[in-house]
Amino acid sequence: MGDCNGLALLTHMGKYQARIAGDVIAGKDARDRASRDVVTRVTFTDPQVCAVGPTGAQARERGIDVRVARFPTGEVSGAYTQGEGISGTSQILVDESRHVIIGATFTGPAMQELLHSATVAIAGRVPVETLWHAVPSFPTVSEVWLRLLEEYGL
Ligand SMILES: Cc1cc2nc3c(=O)[nH]c(=O)nc-3n(C[C@H](O)[C@H](O)[C@H](O)COP(=O)(O)OP(=O)(O)OC[C@H]3O[C@@H](n4cnc5c(N)ncnc54)[C@H](O)[C@@H]3O)c2cc1C
């Protein structure tokens, strides 16, 4: 577990692998649920770059039929809660054969907290049609989810 296996050289991923290893040692059936793909990463720059799952190029290399939907993070009504003139782009990557999100990227201020909503959707394999009924509060940056799903074509 951790950096020595070269899978994802990040503190939280090493700790996740440790929890899975602990579950397996304790006889819990954890291996089937363990994921190598749902790797979250936050680059603490200004603006932040926050991503989870494979990139579009990585997904296509694996033969996954993906469609990308993008929306400017600062153009949702609630963006002003993070300041004026926010730049950055939000993006989701949808596996067209399964209709689930497999990757997401958010750039902008304080996006590290928004990232986990995408991680939950990916780990839970929530169909994009179901996400349409997950209503973000107004005014919040989370409204970008609605714009992304509209861009996707829901
Ligand atoms: C500058 C820097 C910044 C980082 N920032 C982040 C960040 O913001 N977020 C994030 O998620 N990750 C970050 N990382 C990565 C993160 O630190 C690692 O992914 C994480 O520490 C890996 O944990 P680990 O337990 O696998 O290995 P380590 O933390 O490297 O622990 C391995 C331990 O084994 C010990 N050891 C080595 N050889 C032996 C031996 N032969 N016998 C006994 N002990 C031995 C070492 O001394 C060490 O204590 C950063 C890394 C660096 C270098």
Side-chain angles (χ1 to χ4, degrees):
M1 63 196 85
D3 281 10
C4 66
N5 65 25
L7 292 174
L9 281 66
L10 293 161
T11 299
H12 47 281
M13 296 312 297
K15 289 163 77 177
Y16 168 67
Q17 292 162 11
R19 291 195 293 275
I20 294 293
D23 284 349
V24 171
I25 291 165
K28 295 181 191 168
D29 184 19
R31 268 172 295 192
D32 291 347
R33 284 179 282 121
S35 168
R36 287 188 179 193
D37 284 337
V38 192
V39 177
T40 52
R41 51 221 185 256
V42 174
T43 310
F44 293 95
T45 44
D46 184 12
Q48 290 174 356
V49 182
C50 309
V52 56
T55 63
Q58 288 169 335
R60 288 185 191 98
E61 273 171 25
R62 294 179 204 169
I64 302 172
D65 178 19
V66 285
R67 185 139 63 95
V68 175
R70 290 191 187 92
F71 195 81
T73 311
E75 286 191 17
V76 295
S77 321
Y80 77 86
T81 59
Q82 294 298 327
E84 296 295 330
I86 289 173
S87 60
T89 304
S90 294
Q91 167 179 303
I92 54 172
L93 200 62
V94 179
D95 178 338
E96 288 290 78
S97 65
R98 297 187 299 139
H99 270 221
V100 294
I101 295 177
I102 58 168
T105 304
F106 302 99
T107 58
M111 289 293 111
Q112 84 274 17
E113 303 300 342
L114 191 60
L115 182 63
H116 197 59
S117 54
T119 307
V120 170
I122 295 169
R125 299 173 187 144
V126 183
V128 279
E129 291 80 5
T130 303
L131 287 174
W132 187 240
H133 301 282
V135 182
S137 293
F138 172 88
T140 62
V141 181
S142 298
E143 292 169 69
V144 78
W145 273 104
L146 295 178
R147 304 289 89 83
L148 287 169
L149 294 171
E150 283 169 351
E151 288 294 317
Y152 174 71
L154 286 187

